[in-house]
Amino acid sequence: MIQLLTPKDYSIRAWSGGETTELFIFPTDASYTERTFQVRISTATVTVSASTFTSLPGFLRVISLLEGELSLTHYENSGKRHVQLTPFQLDTFSGEIVTTSQGTCRDFNLMLSGDMTGSLTPFTRGQVDCQNMEQWVIYAIQPLQVHLADSVYTLNPKETLVISEFTGTLMIENASPNIGAMLCHFAPKRG
């Protein structure tokens, strides 16, 4: 199954440090507010210079910046862990730990419940091998063409292509030499 999502399909809401745009949630009838999701993919603006991330016990968070700079402090049992992020660097952390930020940015987020596994990859262009039982989400930063089986999908910036129930190779073309997409995949954890 292939689904092309555009900004009119997204859900936007305020959070304490700015605004979040939900690009994708799984299962589709899940709720972020009620924490019934297994996977959530979103972008967010951080418009205040200092903020505290929303607590998400039971979820793994992967964050990358699309624009700006952000300094994160994770307050873990072993002490503080500081991370300085610039565009397309990744940070992975447990949603239950207190995390504060300094700086303003637009970020990209992958959130996974404990029964899911997945990854987030800033991607320029090339082939992607899709395995059975995985779902793929491609968020366009630059204009892209995605070749999938016998079909070609054209994505404009801020559009999302959701791919499920597909096994094979897909090709992402990006005319720019810069990062063209944020590539997420996820699947249930096995045994």
Side-chain angles (χ1 to χ4, degrees):
M1 183 174 105
I2 310 298
Q3 184 180 16
L4 177 62
L5 303 172
T6 65
K8 68 177 177 46
D9 299 310
Y10 304 150
S11 171
I12 301 170
R13 48 175 76 107
W15 70 283
S16 63
E19 188 173 80
T20 182
T21 301
E22 185 174 277
L23 308 173
F24 175 83
I25 196 163
F26 177 82
T28 55
D29 61 348
S31 165
Y32 170 74
T33 335
E34 296 174 16
R35 308 296 191 256
T36 58
F37 64 95
Q38 292 177 296
V39 177
R40 182 176 188 258
I41 299 171
S42 63
T43 62
T45 56
V46 180
T47 56
V48 297
S49 59
S51 64
T52 300
F53 279 41
T54 302
S55 178
L56 291 169
F59 291 90
L60 181 70
R61 299 180 73 158
V62 185
I63 186 172
S64 182
L65 300 190
L66 299 173
E67 301 168 358
E69 291 186 10
L70 196 65
S71 176
L72 298 177
T73 302
H74 302 295
Y75 296 88
E76 301 168 329
N77 290 338
S78 57
K80 294 181 189 179
R81 181 172 66 92
H82 298 282
V83 178
Q84 184 69 35
L85 290 176
T86 58
F88 308 116
Q89 291 178 315
L90 301 175
D91 185 35
T92 302
F93 57 98
S94 170
E96 64 195 36
I97 63 172
V98 174
T99 298
T100 60
S101 69
Q102 297 284 322
T104 58
C105 69
R106 189 165 75 95
D107 65 28
F108 189 91
N109 303 279
L110 170 63
M111 301 172 190
L112 300 163
S113 68
D115 57 347
M116 301 298 283
T117 184
S119 69
L120 167 60
T121 307
F123 200 79
T124 304
R125 68 177 69 77
Q127 290 186 345
V128 178
D129 292 321
C130 300
Q131 303 301 315
N132 196 20
M133 298 302 294
E134 292 182 343
Q135 291 198 33
W136 294 83
V137 177
I138 301 168
Y139 176 75
I141 298 167
Q142 306 282 340
L144 302 175
Q145 284 198 326
V146 179
H147 299 263
L148 181 67
D150 296 329
S151 300
V152 178
Y153 298 88
T154 300
L155 278 72
N156 294 309
K158 298 185 180 179
E159 292 183 339
T160 303
L161 190 66
V162 179
I163 304 164
S164 56
E165 300 174 18
F166 172 77
T167 301
T169 301
L170 63 87
M171 173 66 79
I172 298 175
E173 292 182 353
N174 168 17
S176 169
N178 300 321
I179 299 293
M182 298 303 276
L183 181 61
C184 300
H185 89 277
F186 60 91
K189 285 184 178 174
R190 296 186 182 156

